[in-house]
C-alpha cells in the first residue's frame, strides 16, 4: 500500500496525570495520513485516556498534541470538525430509526439537508439497509449497529476517525466484515486510529503501538515487531512486552 | 441554528416514543390534581361528633336533633365535662365537639344572643373546615326556620375553634403544592434522567466529540422539557380553576412568569443532578430522595411548616418549593403583586443561579 509522508497526528511527550496516577507517561508518536494505526494494550494500559485526549474529550496535563494539523488544546473546535469517533458502545440512539440517527449526526456536524439526504441514500444502498431504514436501532442485531455506528462516525468525511475497541462483543465473521469497512475508509483517505485488544486484528494494521502501564513499549509495522521480538505472531509479541 | 433545531427535534422523538415518559409527563399531573382535588372537595358524610350539652333544654335538644338527623354527622360520644373533650379527640372517636353553654335557652330569651362553641380537629385542616362550615350552616338554618320565622329576633353565634392547627393551613394548599411537585418532577427528574441516559448509552461522548459546544447540548436537551413543563403548569392551573374553583385573584401573567422561573430553577437542578450521576438509575434515585420526598414533606405542601420542630424548619428554608408555594398562594388567593412576593422570587432566582454555576463548574471538572 502506498503511503503518504504527511503526519496527521503528532504527539510529543504527552503526559496525563490523575492525582498521583500517571495514566500516560511521555507518549511520543506520529500517525501518517491514510494509515491504519493500531493502538494496542491491555485494559488499563492508558489507551482510552490517550484516545480521549486525541479526540478532545479530555485535556493533556502536558505535552504537545496535534491532530489534523490543529493543536488539541488551543484549537479544539477545529480538531473536532476534522475527526470522527466511535466508542465501544456503538453509541446510537436506540429509540430513533436508522435514518433518523444518520440525519441527526449529519446535522450536528452542520451538513446541509440536501447533502445529508443524498449521502444517506448512498450509504443505505451500500450497506444494503434500505429496507430497514425506518426501523428503530433497538430492533437491530449488534453487527448492524456496529456498521451503522462506523458509517455515522465517518459520515462527515473526517480526516481522522478514532475507533475505541470497535469490535468488542462481535462474532469473528462480523469482525472480518467490519475490517473490510475500515480498509474502504482508509482507501478513501481517512486515517484510522483504532484501539483493540484482539491481537489478530493487530495484523490488519499498517503500524501498531503497544502500550503497557502508561508507556509505549513498542512501535512499528507488525512485521518489524515480530522480527524484533522474535515472535511468530502479534499475540506473542504482546505477551513478551506485557511480561 | 440548523444543528440546534435537529437536536431539539431528536429530544422530542425520545419523549414521544417512550410511553412511560409520556405517562409521567401528562398522565400524572392530571391524575394528581384530580386526586388531591377530590380529596379536598369531597362532601362530608357520617362524620363522628360529640356534643357537650351543659344546658339540656328544649333549644339545645332541637339543635342537637337537627344536627344528628342531617345525615352528615353521627353522634358517637356524649361528653359530660370539659375535660372529656380533649380525651375524645385524642382517642380519635370524634372529629368535632359542639359545646352548648349552661342556661342556653334562658340566655337566648333574656339577651337575644347566645354562643355555641364548635371545636374541630384541624390536624386534617380540610375536613375540619368543612365539618365546621356544615355545622354552622345547620345552626343558622335552625335560627332562621325555628326562631326568626316565628318573629323572634334571636341570634345564635357559632364560635369555631380549630384544635391543633388554628389557622387552618392546608386549605387551597393542594394546587400550589401539586404544581410545585409536578414541575419539580418533570423538570428536574426528567431532565437529569435524559442527560444521564446519554451518558449511559455513550451518546454523550459522541456529542462532546462533535463540534457542538456543551452549552447548546444542554440547552437543546432542556428546551423540550421546559416547553412540556410549562404546558403542564397551564394544565394544572386550568384544571384547578375550572374544576375546583380555585380563584386566580392576582395577575395571570405574573403567575405564569413566576411559574417559568420555578421551572427554570428545577431544570438547573436537574442539570446539576445529571452532572453528578452517571446512570439513569442514579439520576432517578437522587431526584427521588433529594427532590420529591423533601418537596412533598418539607415544603409546607402536606404538613404545615409552623408546626415542625425548629431544625426541620431550617431544612424547609432550603426547599425551593416552599417559596414557590408561598408565591403561588399569594398570587392566586390573595391577589398579591410582585411587591409582596419579591423576596421569595429573589430566593428562587438566586437558587437558579447557584445551581447553574455549580453545574458549569462540575462540567468543567469532568472535562479536565
Amino acid at each position: 500500500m502506498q503511503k503518504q509522508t504527511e503526519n496527521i497526528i503528532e504527539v510529543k511527550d504527552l503526559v496525563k496525570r490523575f492525582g498521583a496516577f500517571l495514566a500516560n507517561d511521555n507518549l511520543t508518536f506520529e500517525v501518517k495520513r491514510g494509515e491504519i494505526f493500531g493502538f494496542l494494550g491491555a485494559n488499563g494500559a492508558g489507551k482510552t485516556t490517550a484516545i480521549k485526549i486525541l479526540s478532545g474529550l479530555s485535556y493533556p496535563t502536558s505535552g504537545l498534541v496535534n491532530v489534523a494539523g490543529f493543536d488539541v488544546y488551543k484549537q479544539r473546535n477545529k480538531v473536532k470538525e476534522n475527526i470522527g469517533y466511535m466508542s465501544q458502545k456503538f453509541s446510537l440512539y436506540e429509540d430513533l430509526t436508522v435514518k433518523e440517527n444518520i440525519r441527526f449526526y449529519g446535522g450536528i456536524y452542520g451538513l446541509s439537508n440536501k447533502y445529508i439526504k443524498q449521502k444517506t441514500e448512498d450509504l443505505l444502498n451500500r450497506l444494503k439497509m434500505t429496507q430497514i431504514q425506518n426501523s428503530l436501532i433497538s430492533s437491530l442485531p449488534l453487527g448492524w449497529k456496529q456498521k451503522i455506528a462506523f458509517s455515522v462516525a465517518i459520515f462527515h468525511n473526517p480526516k481522522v476517525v478514532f475507533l475505541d475497541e470497535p469490535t468488542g462483543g462481535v462474532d469473528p465473521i462480523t469482525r472480518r466484515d467490519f475490517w473490510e469497512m475500515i480498509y474502504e475508509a482508509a482507501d478513501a483517505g481517512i486515517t484510522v486510529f483504532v484501539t483493540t485488544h484482539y491481537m489478530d486484528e493487530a495484523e490488519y494494521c499498517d503500524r501498531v503501538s503497544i502500550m503497557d502501564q502508561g508507556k509505549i513499549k513498542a512501535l512499528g509495522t507488525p512485521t518489524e515487531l515480530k522480527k524484533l521480538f522474535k515472535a511468530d505472531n502479534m499475540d506473542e509479541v504482546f505477551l513478551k512486552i506485557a511480561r | 441554528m440548523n444543528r440546534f433545531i435537529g437536536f431539539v427535534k431528536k429530544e422530542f422523538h425520545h419523549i414521544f416514543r417512550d410511553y412511560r415518559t409520556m405517562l409521567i409527563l401528562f398522565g400524572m399531573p392530571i391524575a394528581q390534581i384530580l386526586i388531591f382535588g377530590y380529596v379536598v372537595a369531597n362532601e362530608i358524610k357520617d362524620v363522628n361528633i360529640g356534643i357537650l350539652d351543659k344546658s339540656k333544654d328544649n333549644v339545645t335538644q332541637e339543635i342537637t336533633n337537627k344536627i344528628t338527623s342531617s345525615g352528615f354527622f353521627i353522634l358517637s360520644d356524649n361528653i359530660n365535662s370539659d375535660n372529656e373533650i380533649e380525651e375524645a379527640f385524642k382517642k380519635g372517636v370524634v372529629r368535632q365537639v359542639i359545646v352548648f353553654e349552661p342556661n342556653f335557652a334562658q340566655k337566648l330569651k333574656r339577651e337575644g344572643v347566645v354562643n355555641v362553641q364548635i371545636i374541630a380537629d384541624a390536624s386534617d385542616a380540610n375536613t375540619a373546615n368543612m365539618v365546621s362550615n356544615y355545622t354552622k350552616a345547620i345552626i343558622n338554618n335552625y335560627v332562621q326556620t325555628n326562631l326568626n320565622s316565628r318573629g323572634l329576633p334571636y341570634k345564635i353565634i357559632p364560635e369555631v375553634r380549630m384544635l391543633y392547627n388554628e389557622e387552618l393551613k392546608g386549605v387551597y394548599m393542594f394546587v400550589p403544592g401539586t404544581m410545585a411537585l409536578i414541575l419539580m418532577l418533570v423538570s428536574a427528574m426528567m431532565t437529569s434522567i435524559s442527560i444521564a441516559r446519554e451518558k449511559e448509552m455513550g451518546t454523550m461522548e459522541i456529542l462532546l466529540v462533535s463540534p457542538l459546544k456543551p452549552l447548546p447540548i444542554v440547552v437543546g436537551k432542556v428546551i423540550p422539557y421546559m416547553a412540556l413543563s410549562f404546558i403542564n403548569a397551564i394544565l394544572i392551573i386550568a384544571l384547578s380553576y375550572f374544576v375546583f374553583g380555585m380563584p386566580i385573584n392576582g395577575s395571570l401573567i405574573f403567575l405564569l412568569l413566576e411559574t417559568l422561573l420555578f421551572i427554570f430553577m428545577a431544570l438547573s437542578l436537574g442539570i446539576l443532578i445529571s452532572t453528578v450521576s452517571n446512570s439513569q438509575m442514579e439520576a432517578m434515585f437522587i431526584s427521588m430522595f433529594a427532590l420529591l420526598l423533601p418537596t412533598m414533606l418539607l415544603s409546607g405542601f402536606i404538613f404545615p411548616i409552623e408546626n415542625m420542630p425548629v431544625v426541620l424548619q431550617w431544612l424547609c428554608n432550603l426547599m425551593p418549593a416552599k417559596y414557590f408555594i408561598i408565591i403561588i398562594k399569594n398570587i392566586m388567593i390573595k391577589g398579591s403583586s410582585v411587591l409582596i412576593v419579591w423576596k421569595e422570587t429573589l430566593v428562587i432566582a438566586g437558587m437558579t443561579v447557584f445551581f447553574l454555576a455549580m453545574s458549569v463548574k462540575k462540567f468543567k471538572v469532568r472535562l479536565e
Side-chain angles (χ1 to χ4, degrees):
Chain A
M1 209 180 289
Q2 193 200 331
K3 284 285 156 257
Q4 294 177 4
T5 47
E6 187 193 345
N7 286 337
I8 197 89
I9 300 176
E10 284 177 343
V11 178
K12 203 157 177 273
D13 302 325
L14 167 63
V15 174
K16 178 70 181 184
R17 213 181 261 287
F18 295 106
F21 176 67
L22 208 54
N24 287 163
D25 186 358
N26 278 295
L27 305 186
T28 299
F29 61 90
E30 289 102 36
V31 179
K32 305 218 179 311
R33 184 181 287 273
E35 207 174 19
I36 300 176
F37 188 83
F39 203 57
L40 316 184
N43 291 330
K47 286 177 300 177
T48 302
T49 308
I51 213 170
K52 278 195 168 158
I53 292 171
L54 290 176
S55 55
L57 276 179
S58 164
Y59 289 129
T61 309
S62 70
L64 197 89
V65 183
N66 241 301
V67 174
F70 302 103
D71 187 292
V72 287
Y73 205 88
K74 292 177 199 132
Q75 295 164 295
R76 210 158 127 220
N77 270 313
K78 285 284 184 197
V79 171
K80 285 178 163 191
E81 277 166 21
N82 287 293
I83 62 170
Y85 175 79
M86 173 185 171
S87 81
Q88 47 196 326
K89 292 180 185 162
F90 312 157
S91 314
L92 297 163
Y93 291 101
E94 299 268 318
D95 51 353
L96 298 189
T97 66
V98 176
K99 211 169 158 185
E100 282 165 348
N101 263 289
I102 298 174
R103 246 216 76 84
F104 172 70
Y105 283 114
I108 60 176
Y109 279 92
L111 305 175
S112 76
N113 287 342
K114 208 176 139 201
Y115 179 83
I116 293 176
K117 214 173 160 192
Q118 181 59 44
K119 199 161 176 203
T120 306
E121 239 168 72
D122 292 349
L123 179 65
L124 289 170
N125 279 328
R126 207 145 31 83
L127 294 175
K128 300 189 183 66
M129 290 190 185
T130 318
Q131 309 276 317
I132 53 142
Q133 57 176 319
N134 291 322
S135 312
L136 294 183
I137 291 290
S138 55
S139 68
L140 302 181
L142 201 60
W144 294 24
K145 286 186 201 171
Q146 181 196 33
K147 281 182 186 166
I148 299 167
F150 181 67
S151 309
V152 159
I154 57 169
F155 193 80
H156 58 290
N157 284 320
K159 288 187 179 148
V160 190
V161 63
F162 293 97
L163 309 175
D164 191 6
E165 297 190 1
T167 50
V170 174
D171 65 80
I173 297 167
T174 316
R175 262 167 65 195
R176 210 42 247 199
D177 284 357
F178 186 68
W179 273 91
E180 292 295 328
M181 290 183 78
I182 294 184
Y183 278 122
E184 266 174 45
D187 284 344
I190 297 175
T191 308
V192 179
F193 187 100
V194 54
T195 73
T196 180
H197 49 233
Y198 292 113
M199 288 305 139
D200 58 327
E201 289 186 348
E203 312 260 4
Y204 304 152
C205 300
D206 294 329
R207 276 195 313 144
V208 296
S209 77
I210 301 181
M211 272 189 89
D212 186 42
Q213 296 176 357
K215 289 192 176 80
I216 291 183
K217 289 286 175 67
L219 181 72
T221 66
T223 325
E224 279 169 11
L225 291 185
K226 278 186 280 190
K227 208 184 274 170
L228 188 68
F229 287 90
K230 297 186 180 64
D232 293 333
N233 53 42
M234 286 305 291
D235 220 19
E236 273 181 46
V237 173
F238 185 71
L239 284 173
K240 281 187 174 164
I241 288 171
R243 215 156 262 166
Chain B
M1 203 56 208
N2 202 6
R3 301 178 185 188
F4 189 68
I5 290 170
F7 197 95
V8 173
K9 224 186 195 168
K10 175 217 99 184
E11 206 54 41
F12 272 115
H13 275 314
H14 290 322
I15 296 170
F16 290 138
R17 282 189 190 158
D18 185 7
Y19 69 95
R20 282 165 302 187
T21 310
M22 287 298 284
L23 207 64
I24 293 181
L25 276 177
F26 291 106
M28 210 178 55
I30 298 174
Q32 282 207 354
I33 204 87
L34 289 178
I35 290 168
F36 281 118
Y38 277 114
V39 167
V40 170
N42 232 336
E43 290 197 0
I44 59 165
K45 210 183 145 216
D46 294 344
V47 175
N48 290 321
I49 60 166
I51 290 178
L52 171 54
D53 193 345
K54 296 178 184 169
S55 178
K56 294 210 169 75
D57 53 46
N58 60 328
V59 177
T60 62
Q61 200 53 53
E62 274 173 26
I63 295 176
T64 304
N65 287 344
K66 204 168 168 92
I67 288 173
T68 49
S69 64
S70 67
F72 302 123
F73 304 109
I74 293 176
L75 187 58
S76 70
D77 209 358
N78 250 323
I79 292 166
N80 301 314
S81 75
D82 287 326
N83 301 337
E84 290 173 30
I85 297 177
E86 183 90 24
E87 208 178 309
F89 275 125
K90 287 211 166 129
K91 272 191 278 175
V93 288
V94 297
R95 307 215 64 137
Q96 174 178 265
V97 173
I98 300 165
V99 184
F100 297 104
E101 57 184 295
N103 309 319
F104 195 85
Q106 275 184 19
K107 200 173 170 194
L108 187 66
K109 267 181 211 146
R110 210 172 50 230
E111 298 175 14
V113 177
V114 73
N115 292 333
V116 56
Q117 206 182 12
I118 299 171
I119 307 169
D121 174 0
S123 55
D124 177 353
N126 304 318
T127 313
N129 199 30
M130 249 178 314
V131 166
S132 62
N133 280 338
Y134 273 69
T135 315
K136 273 195 280 186
I138 293 171
I139 293 172
N140 285 338
N141 181 272
Y142 169 82
V143 173
Q144 273 172 11
T145 51
N146 293 37
L147 304 174
N148 295 2
S149 63
R150 287 191 229 143
L152 301 166
Y154 296 151
K155 276 189 199 154
I156 298 178
I157 300 172
E159 278 182 342
V160 179
R161 235 193 94 198
M162 292 296 170
L163 216 56
Y164 307 122
N165 180 4
E166 302 265 342
E167 287 170 57
L168 264 193
K169 303 278 164 70
V171 181
Y172 280 143
M173 206 49 173
F174 78 100
V175 169
T178 317
M179 216 152 113
L181 188 68
I182 286 172
L183 294 182
M184 214 50 164
L185 190 83
V186 171
S187 311
M189 186 160 125
M190 301 302 267
T191 319
S192 65
I193 288 179
S194 92
I195 296 181
R197 180 168 58 194
E198 300 244 6
K199 281 200 207 173
E200 200 178 321
M201 304 301 288
T203 45
M204 188 52 105
E205 266 184 334
I206 308 277
L207 294 179
L208 290 175
V209 170
S210 82
L212 271 185
K213 299 223 171 68
L215 189 68
I217 294 178
V218 172
V219 174
K221 285 213 74 83
V222 156
I223 279 187
Y225 290 99
M226 187 146 193
L228 293 174
S229 302
F230 195 60
I231 293 174
N232 256 327
I234 293 174
L235 203 68
I236 296 171
I237 294 173
L239 266 179
S240 52
Y241 182 79
F242 291 112
V243 180
F244 300 113
M246 173 107 181
I248 304 176
N249 291 326
S251 148
L252 182 62
I253 292 171
F254 182 46
L255 179 69
L256 293 179
L257 282 178
E258 289 282 2
T259 307
L260 261 183
L261 175 68
F262 185 73
I263 291 173
F264 201 58
M265 186 284 310
L267 290 172
S268 350
L269 193 54
I271 296 169
L272 180 62
I273 291 176
S274 71
T275 59
V276 296
S277 50
N278 286 312
S279 68
Q280 299 180 66
M281 268 302 188
E282 228 175 295
M284 199 167 92
F285 275 112
I286 296 180
S287 309
M288 279 285 193
F289 291 107
L291 295 184
L292 289 192
L293 286 179
T295 300
M296 281 182 81
L297 302 177
L298 297 177
S299 65
F301 173 22
I302 294 180
F303 304 113
I305 295 174
E306 289 77 1
N307 297 356
M308 290 181 192
V310 185
V311 180
L312 281 185
Q313 290 193 20
W314 293 339
L315 265 180
C316 292
N317 288 335
L318 298 177
M319 296 296 132
K322 172 191 159 180
Y323 303 98
F324 182 62
I325 290 175
I326 294 174
I327 293 172
I328 295 299
K329 271 174 66 187
N330 264 300
I331 299 175
M332 290 184 86
I333 300 167
K334 296 186 195 156
S336 312
S337 69
V338 71
L339 294 174
I340 309 288
V341 292
W342 64 272
K343 266 191 224 154
E344 285 79 9
T345 310
L346 268 187
V347 171
I348 295 182
M351 285 176 164
T352 311
V353 173
F354 174 75
F355 293 142
L356 278 180
M358 287 284 287
S359 320
V360 170
K361 206 174 151 221
K362 287 263 180 217
F363 203 78
K364 283 211 174 118
V365 168
R366 226 161 48 81
L367 267 183
E368 265 160 20

